Amino acid sequence: MPTHVAIMMDGNGRWGKQRGMTRSQGHFAGAQALERTIDAALELNIKILTLYVFSTENWKRPKAEVDDLMKLPVKFLHTKLSKFIQKDIKLIFSGNINGLPEPTRKAVEIAAEKTKNNDKLTVNFALNYGGKNEILTVAKTIISEVCNSAMSVDGINEETIEKHLFTKNLPSPDLFIRTGGEKRLSNFLLWQLDKTELWFTDVYFPDFNKQLLIKAIQEVNQRDAQKLS
Ligand code: IPE
Ligand code: IPE
Ligand code: MG
């Protein structure tokens, strides 16, 4: 079983359109699939699930869609937080959290605080996350440490960078899944995915389920077995 699975939940908008619904209704269905995926990860004893829910590029979408996407975590956490607490799930958030609208920022900070001592499963929401933004943020922090003489240039190595990433306390993902048919990284975990197995499916995220998660894990495990034989 992989320890850390990272999922780019793509295809919500097309799922809605295909059914004559709005893109936002597709995102709502995506949130329900997200809850099912968290339950599946618990049942499979996966320890860390990173979910890409909003990228730094997604601000360029129409304002009404962005507004709905920012309200979704507030609604989702309002109704589900007690269930996550009861299931011993820790919620963490990677990305530029200070750049979120106030109600969204507050909802995620409360969720992180209330679940910080849980340890059955860590769910890491990549929210207002961009891999380039993350690396840029790390570079700025390290440069200011050098300027303050807290660090020397020769002392900087890969570990220094890893220690400053949003994912600093997490091992790298063993498995990356992208739903929705596109085969791009779309600025997700650019540093962390260097050795990760990549798996793609045409299924839109609202139709993602435990069977597909198991299929991804089995196919990637077969790749590993072939490498060894
Ligand atoms: C992914 O679904 C969710 C977010 C980016 C928030 P999309 O909204 O990208 O759906 P498609 O790819 O347009 O179908
Ligand atoms: C990636 O999907 C971002 C999330 C799933 C949150 P996008 O639909 O935004 O990415 P592109 O536009 O296909 O690269
Ligand atoms: Mg998309």
Side-chain angles (χ1 to χ4, degrees):
M1 205 42 73
T3 303
H4 183 177
V5 177
I7 307 182
M8 191 184 298
M9 314 163 16
D10 195 26
N12 291 349
R14 282 166 286 163
W15 184 93
K17 201 174 164 211
Q18 201 180 49
R19 283 162 179 73
M21 299 174 179
T22 62
R23 291 182 57 83
S24 290
Q25 284 172 308
H27 294 311
F28 185 75
Q32 291 172 314
L34 184 149
E35 191 185 356
R36 284 201 304 275
T37 306
I38 292 173
D39 285 337
L42 268 180
E43 288 163 27
L44 295 171
N45 212 16
I46 289 165
K47 295 307 293 176
I48 306 155
L49 190 60
T50 292
L51 300 163
Y52 201 8
V53 291
F54 192 89
S55 75
T56 47
E57 285 66 41
N58 288 153
W59 295 109
K60 294 184 200 126
R61 293 188 179 199
K63 186 179 179 305
E65 185 180 352
V66 170
D67 287 349
D68 283 342
L69 282 167
M70 285 298 134
K71 282 183 201 143
L72 205 50
V74 181
K75 278 192 231 158
F76 183 77
L77 291 168
H78 181 70
T79 52
K80 309 291 174 195
L81 185 58
S82 56
K83 184 186 118 175
F84 294 140
I85 293 171
Q86 186 213 331
K87 292 191 173 183
D88 199 14
I89 297 173
K90 180 196 251 178
L91 303 180
I92 60 173
F93 298 86
S94 297
N96 179 8
I97 300 307
N98 288 331
L100 295 170
E102 182 68 7
T104 316
R105 188 181 62 77
K106 265 204 178 131
V108 308
E109 282 175 357
I110 290 169
E113 175 60 28
K114 288 200 169 166
T115 62
K116 67 178 183 205
N117 295 321
N118 295 354
D119 73 353
K120 174 117 180 70
L121 166 71
T122 297
V123 180
N124 173 31
F125 289 95
L127 176 60
N128 197 11
Y129 173 88
K132 288 188 179 177
N133 172 262
E134 178 178 39
I135 293 168
L136 181 67
T137 308
V138 171
K140 285 184 178 174
T141 309
I142 294 175
I143 290 165
S144 62
E145 285 175 15
V146 170
C147 290
N148 296 337
S149 307
M151 188 181 298
S152 72
V153 171
D154 287 342
I156 301 169
N157 53 32
E158 290 182 9
E159 209 187 313
T160 321
I161 294 177
E162 259 145 36
K163 275 198 290 202
H164 287 81
L165 292 168
F166 292 131
T167 54
K168 51 183 161 284
N169 298 317
L170 306 177
S172 288
D174 312 284
L175 168 61
F176 160 95
I177 295 173
R178 180 169 186 158
T179 62
E182 310 295 342
K183 294 186 176 65
R184 294 190 281 276
L185 285 184
S186 299
N187 204 10
F188 190 37
L189 303 177
L190 298 181
W191 178 280
Q192 296 87 337
L193 294 176
D194 62 329
K195 295 199 201 75
T196 305
E197 290 291 341
L198 310 178
W199 192 86
F200 299 91
T201 175
D202 289 340
V203 170
Y204 295 147
F205 188 71
D207 291 327
F208 191 75
N209 58 26
K210 187 179 174 189
Q211 282 66 39
L212 275 170
L213 180 57
I214 292 173
K215 187 169 184 242
I217 294 166
Q218 283 174 340
E219 287 187 12
V220 161
N221 284 349
Q222 272 162 15
R223 290 182 203 164
D224 284 341
Q226 274 162 5
K227 265 188 271 170
L228 294 172
S229 65

